[in-house]
Amino acid sequence: MSSTPRPAALIVRQASPPNLEMPFHTLDERITSGAGHYVRSHFPAPELNAQDWRLRLGGLVDSPLELSLEDLKAMPPHTLTATMECAGNGRLYLSPRRPGVQWDLGAVGTAEWTGVRLSDVLERAGVTPGALEVVLEGADCGTLTDPGRTPGEIHYARSLPLSKALDDVLLAYAMNGQPLTRDHGFPVRAVVPGWYGMAAVKWLTTLHVTGTPYQGFFQTVDYSFWAFRDGLSPQMVPINAMLVKAQIARPAPHDAVKADSSCEVTGAAWTGNGNVTRVEFSGDGGQTWADAELLDAPQPGVWRRWRALWQTPAQPGPVTLLARASDSAGRTQEDGYDAGRGGYMINFPLPITVHVQTGEA
């Protein structure tokens, strides 16, 4: 991307536990640095050491396992690139205000993850007939009162359908070629390509194969939404795959731009199913749209950076910029927000207000 990004420093949305976001206007490379990748924490980061850490696998398996970090590293390693977005990214744009961390645009990033395929670990244990889901539990624990009150102290845990667990899920011990940091889940975390970040359980210690749908707090009370299915009344279902979405990186919100000039607009777009196939840009609040240039080759589960040239208005004043993406599954971002999603899955075109000024901006 040709324009020069500003120096990066993670924005603190919550100090303890740390919830930090990337200043999205610093987007430049396709791979986000470990230091620049957003951090989402529900409870304080546990103190774990590589020597004593163990991963325990039980439930509907032939042979329960207890694996050390060295045991995992002795298995065939795999590296994948994945864009990960917090399910609440963009919550700041909702009105009325929704509960939860007030993320702006930067609770998203793309990294190269190295580890062991979850399918290889499950194969070693031998999944028995009747298995439906795999529950992933982390060492982090605590209590919450928002969005609901936990029944005392609980661990962070989510489940995956067995079909997803046997597909492309990684048990990662490295990020961009370096061991995981504590904030990013040292020593091992899950990476679930195409899904929102709540599925990527950090500080992973337990895998449990179950024959019934998991009904834990972060599967039902939190990270769930109302959906219409089978012609029935709305049902609460767990959040999973990322929706198609484009975001504008530069100009940043409330930037000043020079009137009657050519301005390069840059950003990124991603989707949880297939590839991004098109990004459109509007420099007049959605009255007209033009195709943006996609800068990266398509790669499932990985964002594509884009750019567009915008001829700014001759008259000074505020202007609303918008971007929208389409994907290979035939989906395009739509205006409006589904209130049934609560404060999650925010994928309507987000309005970026900039200020056109005469003279040097």
Side-chain angles (χ1 to χ4, degrees), residues 294-312:
L294 293 169
L295 303 178
D296 300 302
Q299 185 176 350
V302 182
W303 64 20
R304 300 181 74 178
R305 295 168 299 162
W306 59 268
R307 69 181 172 197
L309 290 179
W310 171 46
Q311 186 65 29
T312 64

Side-chain angles (χ1 to χ4, degrees), residues 250-261:
R250 295 187 293 279
H254 308 297
D255 268 0
V257 297
K258 185 179 179 180
D260 197 23
S261 65

